[in-house]
């Protein structure tokens, strides 16, 4: 099958039950626009309903995993448009505990099988949160990762607060969130954002997927249920809090100034 030029996500499942999900917006470094949000959520729904899937490999085509929210969205915010990425009411729970934007990260956690993210190039903002939804992250040592939302006057609101609270020491999480500092794949592993580093993350993710697919699917699914249930984070409360904080920020004067300053590459002038 030939990919269509505007295809955002490609999904395939082989005869071993190994699914691959590739982000395909190569010309934009897989930046997330409304069509990408919808395509990722459609991919999650397709895999959730496929009883033959045993493990998922998630990766980005081209030069990076995902550069985060599409720049055109920040332009709209700078101009005072206050709608969220997929509508104006971020607080509405449209996908279980999550809204549609949160589900592109949270949905991987909710799949009944393990998800392995292979990360190269960049994983910024929302792109990082998508990767954090995976159970395991194999990251190139020179990849660049960032909780970048603060640079645009925003907070992480795509389920990242749930995942990062599980993975990171509290002071490290606060530093990364307050500064938007970019870390390498090597540092990400040391901090807890990455499971392991590899010169070829996709090849290693595929090897790990093959190992998991050869084991009892019943045991693997049971293990994921147990580990999901063992999380100390109250996901329902955190996801709702993410949405409320972000909805209040989008379109506010200082958020608009942060977006415009970032687009114009100047120092922001906050009130």
């Amino acid at each position: 099958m030939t990919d269509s030029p505007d295809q955002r996500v490609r999904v395939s499942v082989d005869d071993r039950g190994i699914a691959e999900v590739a982000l395909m917006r190569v010309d934009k470094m897989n930046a997330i626009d409304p069509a990408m949000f919808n395509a990722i959520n459609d991919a999650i729904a397709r895999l959730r309903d496929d009883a033959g899937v045993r493990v998922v490999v998630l990766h980005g085509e081209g030069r990076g995993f995902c550069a985060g929210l599409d720049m055109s969205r920040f332009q709209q915010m700078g101009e005072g448009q206050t709608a969220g990425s997929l509508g104006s009411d971020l607080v509405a729970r449209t996908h279980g505990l999550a809204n549609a934007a949160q589900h592109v990260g949270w949905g991987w956690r909710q799949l009944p099988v393990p998800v392995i993210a292979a990360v190269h190039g960049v994983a910024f903002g929302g792109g990082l949160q998508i990767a954090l939804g995976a159970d395991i992250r194999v990251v190139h040592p020179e990849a660049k990762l960032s909780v970048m939302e603060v640079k645009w006057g925003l907070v992480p609101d795509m389920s990242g607060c749930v995942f990062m609270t599980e993975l990171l020491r509290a002071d490290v999480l606060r530093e990364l969130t307050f500064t938007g500092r970019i870390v390498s794949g090597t540092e990400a592993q040391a901090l807890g954002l990455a499971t392991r580093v590899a010169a070829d993350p996709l090849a290693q993710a595929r090897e790990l997927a093959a190992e998991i697919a050869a084991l009892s699917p019943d045991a693997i699914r049971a293990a994921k249920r147990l580990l999901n249930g063992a999380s100390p984070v109250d996901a329902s409360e955190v996801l709702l809090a993410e949405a409320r904080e972000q909805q209040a920020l989008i379109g506010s004067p200082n958020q608009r100034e942060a977006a415009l300053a970032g687009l114009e590459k100047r120092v922001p002038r906050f009130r």
Side-chain angles (χ1 to χ4, degrees):
M1 179 183 294
T2 301
D3 297 328
S4 62
D6 59 349
Q7 183 180 18
R8 293 291 194 269
V9 175
R10 183 183 66 225
V11 180
S12 61
V13 183
D14 69 14
D15 56 7
R16 299 169 295 175
I18 299 175
E20 286 206 8
V21 178
L23 308 182
M24 297 284 293
R25 199 180 181 210
V26 175
D27 59 325
K28 299 292 187 181
M29 293 189 73
N30 300 316
I32 317 163
D33 63 353
M36 179 71 92
F37 275 109
N38 291 331
I40 293 172
N41 282 331
D42 287 347
I44 292 169
R46 171 180 166 181
L47 295 172
R48 183 188 61 228
D49 295 337
D50 188 340
V53 171
R54 295 191 173 195
V55 61
V56 178
V57 174
L58 171 64
H59 65 98
E61 293 285 346
R63 295 182 295 124
F65 179 78
C66 177
L69 198 62
D70 189 274
M71 294 294 286
S72 64
R73 182 67 193 111
F74 295 121
Q75 182 67 51
Q76 293 168 358
M77 290 180 185
E79 293 170 353
Q81 298 182 37
T82 59
S85 299
L86 291 178
S88 59
D89 187 4
L90 298 181
V91 176
R93 306 291 87 186
T94 58
H95 291 68
L97 299 181
N99 61 35
Q102 290 170 326
H103 193 65
V104 299
W106 184 246
W108 304 113
R109 170 66 63 87
Q110 294 301 101
L111 285 183
V113 298
V115 179
I116 306 165
V119 179
H120 74 291
V122 300
F124 289 161
L128 175 59
Q129 293 179 82
I130 291 171
L132 292 176
D135 299 281
I136 297 165
R137 280 159 299 288
V138 184
V139 179
H140 191 280
E142 297 178 2
K144 296 179 178 180
L145 295 77
S146 174
V147 189
M148 194 166 278
E149 284 78 8
V150 71
K151 301 289 188 180
W152 302 99
L154 300 170
V155 293
D157 75 322
M158 289 167 53
S159 66
C161 291
V162 175
F163 303 133
M164 291 187 292
T165 299
E166 294 178 348
L167 294 169
L168 298 174
R169 214 173 64 196
D171 58 330
V172 173
L173 170 54
R174 289 166 189 260
E175 183 231 341
L176 295 179
T177 304
F178 296 161
T179 66
R181 181 170 69 85
I182 295 172
V183 301
S184 69
T186 300
E187 184 179 1
Q189 183 190 30
L191 295 176
L193 285 174
T195 310
R196 61 174 74 167
V197 294
D200 189 339
L202 182 54
Q204 189 152 131
R206 286 168 170 162
E207 289 179 10
L208 184 56
E211 181 180 343
I212 293 171
L215 300 171
S216 165
D218 295 339
I220 294 296
R221 286 176 178 243
K224 182 157 182 177
R225 287 193 298 271
L226 280 171
L227 294 171
N228 281 357
S231 172
V233 180
D234 185 339
S236 62
E237 289 297 323
V238 176
L239 291 171
L240 188 57
E242 278 188 353
R244 286 174 172 155
E245 295 287 0
Q246 193 79 309
Q247 188 152 291
L249 286 170
I250 292 175
S252 63
N254 279 342
Q255 192 276 316
R256 291 174 59 188
E257 172 59 13
L260 287 174
L263 292 169
E264 296 168 2
K265 301 187 185 306
R266 60 172 173 81
V267 176
R269 298 182 291 271
F270 293 123
R271 297 184 185 182

